[in-house]
Amino acid sequence: NLMFAGYVTVDINSNQISEGESITLTVQSQDSKEAPIVNLPTFKDFTIISGPNQSSSSNYSIINGKMTSSSSYSLVWVLMPRKIGRLFIPSLEIKLDGQITKSKAITVSVLERSKKSKKTAQYFVEATVDNLVPYRGEQVVLTYTLYTRVDITGIDEKMPRYKGFWVEELFSPTKLQLRTVQKNGLQYHAATIKKSALFPTKSGKVSIEPMIATIGVRDAKRNSFSVFGSPSKEHVISTETIILNVKPLPKTKNGITSAMVGKWNIKSTIDRMNVIQDEALTIKVHLTGNGNLKSADILPYKFPENFEVFEPKITVENSKSQSEIGGQKIIEYVVIPRSIGKITLPPFEIKFFDNRTKEWKTKQSKAIKLSIAKNKKSSSETVGLFKEEVQLVGKDIRFMDDSPPN
């Protein structure tokens, strides 16, 4: 508690906290004409969660028959420590009623969150993952859980930026469902806040930053537990930082690699097997499995030279549960055969790392056999439709009747 210039106070609510707890920084003026103006420096050891929140109050008193008044103004910030150890709130430059002064730096001791502190905690949030040593590209399920022994009236969470991950949401309830659990030898009411599927995009040590939550705690003791009730006192808490040791994918024997991790299957379909020269046909490649659909793709594929090929259309159909994500990716090709005869299109192929067997696997679709009949209209030159024409069919071009006139 630092006093300077006779009427300005810089204060924090606690000099010693545990990891995951917040502190409140208050700048308060006494007997001033206006609220203090604070030039806030860069906080290296803390994250500013909220503030400045301003309030004021006035007091009136009568002394020797004369009424006097005094005013106070408060600016409040909520700070969350970024690490454990001996941290510092730097000096603040404060302007009040035309005068400028500086506070002294304030020391805060942040203790490691231990099992002992959890045993006495009335409420806390916890982040857990189902795998601390995944392979690059392998799904990791991240779960945020609220534990409380007091009545919670609301929660507002601030999710971190997941650097080094591709993220897909698995579960995010609109209303928290409380359940009774045993935790650290005590009975708590727990609720799952959110579940996400994380796919590491690089190997090595990758950190999942803390999730910060502002919860409303009802001060009065109640027998029943509820979520989202009447207004209450707000508290800011956070999860711990989680560090994953992400393993690189092992090298393949032939040097051909892929970003696909999980369990995958492939098949191909065609709209018809018998086609006339210069007619367009559609080939679809279906990739299904569990894992990151964004990274699912076939190995490089080359159509025969006498095939004119469009850029493929890609459709993604996600499917997910609270524990896994996956679905189907469809790669759709429109091709035009320019020659006649029987042609066999080679299989489409995928390569993926099976994280259960810890092996690289290759799967293929079936080869496609086509019978291409001669286009009777074709003589020495091609009469069929080209890419640009096929793209416009059904949009702004209608072909006239070219049958013999009656």
Side-chain angles (χ1 to χ4, degrees):
N1 190 353
L2 302 175
M3 182 81 69
F4 52 89
Y7 45 74
V8 178
T9 303
V10 177
D11 191 21
I12 58 174
N13 62 332
S14 178
N15 288 91
Q16 182 173 297
I17 59 173
S18 294
E19 183 184 15
E21 295 178 344
S22 61
I23 62 170
T24 301
L25 171 67
T26 303
V27 176
Q28 186 175 43
S29 66
Q30 301 288 343
D31 300 328
S32 61
K33 297 178 182 178
E34 55 188 22
I37 300 173
V38 180
N39 184 12
L40 212 60
T42 301
F43 285 70
K44 295 181 179 179
D45 295 340
F46 294 90
T47 299
I48 300 174
I49 304 303
S50 65
N53 300 312
Q54 184 174 328
S55 62
S56 62
S57 63
S58 299
N59 294 316
Y60 297 90
S61 60
I62 299 176
I63 301 175
N64 298 325
K66 293 184 178 181
M67 186 173 69
T68 60
S69 64
S70 61
S71 300
S72 66
Y73 296 89
S74 296
L75 296 175
V76 179
W77 290 265
V78 177
L79 310 177
M80 183 67 69
R82 293 178 177 171
K83 55 186 178 181
I84 60 174
R86 194 164 177 257
L87 310 185
F88 295 93
I89 297 175
S91 171
L92 307 181
E93 184 179 281
I94 303 170
K95 183 179 181 181
L96 188 65
D97 294 343
Q99 296 185 15
I100 296 177
T101 188
K102 288 187 177 182
S103 68
K104 294 181 180 179
I106 302 175
T107 304
V108 181
S109 295
V110 180
L111 307 178
E112 185 177 358
R113 179 166 22 192
S114 62
K115 292 183 178 179
K116 183 178 179 180
S117 65
K118 282 187 177 180
K119 285 184 178 180
T120 59
Q122 294 296 299
Y123 49 83
F124 61 93
V125 286
E126 186 176 67
T128 56
V129 293
D130 62 347
N131 189 358
L132 286 169
V133 284
Y135 285 96
R136 178 173 58 84
E138 182 180 2
Q139 176 182 276
V140 175
V141 177
L142 170 64
T143 305
Y144 295 109
T145 308
L146 168 68
Y147 294 92
T148 179
R149 301 185 69 209
V150 296
D151 198 9
I152 300 297
T153 60
I155 182 167
D156 181 20
E157 67 271 9
K158 182 180 179 182
M159 295 299 165
R161 290 185 300 169
Y162 300 102
K163 296 179 181 178
F165 296 94
W166 177 268
V167 185
E168 292 279 356
E169 188 177 280
L170 292 175
F171 175 67
S172 183
T174 55
K175 184 177 181 180
L176 298 186
Q177 299 295 323
L178 292 168
R179 60 188 184 276
T180 302
V181 298
Q182 292 292 322
K183 185 79 171 176
N184 303 321
L186 296 173
Q187 181 172 295
Y188 280 89
H189 292 264
T192 301
I193 300 172
K194 190 180 287 288
K195 275 189 175 184
S196 298
L198 273 58
F199 300 91
T201 57
K202 60 182 180 180
S203 55
K205 291 187 180 296
V206 186
S207 297
I208 301 174
E209 298 300 322
M211 182 267 281
I212 297 169
T214 302
I215 63 171
V217 178
R218 198 188 308 279
D219 294 329
K221 293 183 178 180
R222 295 167 63 94
N223 294 326
S224 61
F225 280 73
S226 65
V227 176
F228 304 140
S230 58
S232 55
K233 188 175 181 181
E234 289 189 346
H235 297 267
V236 180
I237 52 179
S238 78
T239 64
E240 300 175 53
T241 298
I242 298 177
I243 298 177
L244 302 183
N245 289 305
V246 181
K247 296 178 288 186
L249 293 174
K251 293 182 179 179
T252 59
K253 293 179 180 179
N254 58 7
I256 299 175
T257 60
S258 166
M260 294 175 67
V261 178
K263 191 173 183 181
W264 295 91
N265 287 299
I266 182 172
K267 72 173 184 178
S268 61
T269 59
I270 191 166
D271 56 351
R272 61 192 185 280
M273 305 297 290
N274 297 311
V275 65
I276 298 175
Q277 176 190 10
D278 300 327
E279 276 189 349
L281 66 147
T282 301
I283 300 171
K284 293 183 180 180
V285 183
H286 303 254
L287 308 180
T288 57
N290 296 317
N292 186 1
L293 281 171
K294 300 290 183 183
S295 65
D297 201 0
I298 60 173
L299 293 180
Y301 186 85
K302 189 174 182 180
F303 282 91
E305 290 184 1
N306 52 5
F307 271 62
E308 196 163 357
V309 185
F310 284 77
E311 283 296 318
K313 174 186 174 184
I314 297 175
T315 306
V316 176
E317 299 172 355
N318 285 301
S319 67
K320 57 186 175 182
S321 63
Q322 289 191 28
S323 60
E324 202 168 42
I325 195 166
Q328 178 177 226
K329 176 182 278 190
I330 302 172
I331 306 170
E332 181 179 329
Y333 293 94
V334 174
V335 300
I336 304 173
R338 295 303 187 188
S339 61
I340 62 173
K342 295 187 182 297
I343 295 179
T344 299
L345 298 179
F348 295 92
E349 193 174 60
I350 57 171
K351 196 176 192 70
F352 62 92
F353 182 75
D354 191 327
N355 56 320
R356 295 175 186 176
T357 62
K358 308 293 187 292
E359 294 176 326
W360 282 101
K361 291 184 178 179
T362 302
K363 288 189 177 182
Q364 294 180 336
S365 64
K366 292 181 179 180
I368 299 174
K369 295 182 179 180
L370 293 175
S371 179
I372 304 169
K374 182 174 177 58
N375 185 347
K376 295 179 180 179
K377 298 177 185 178
S378 176
S379 55
S380 60
E381 59 182 9
T382 300
V383 180
L385 307 181
F386 288 92
K387 289 182 183 180
E388 294 78 7
E389 295 171 317
V390 173
Q391 286 174 329
L392 293 170
V393 170
K395 294 183 179 178
D396 63 351
I397 288 181
R398 297 291 184 270
F399 293 96
M400 62 183 177
D401 185 0
D402 60 353
S403 61
N406 294 324

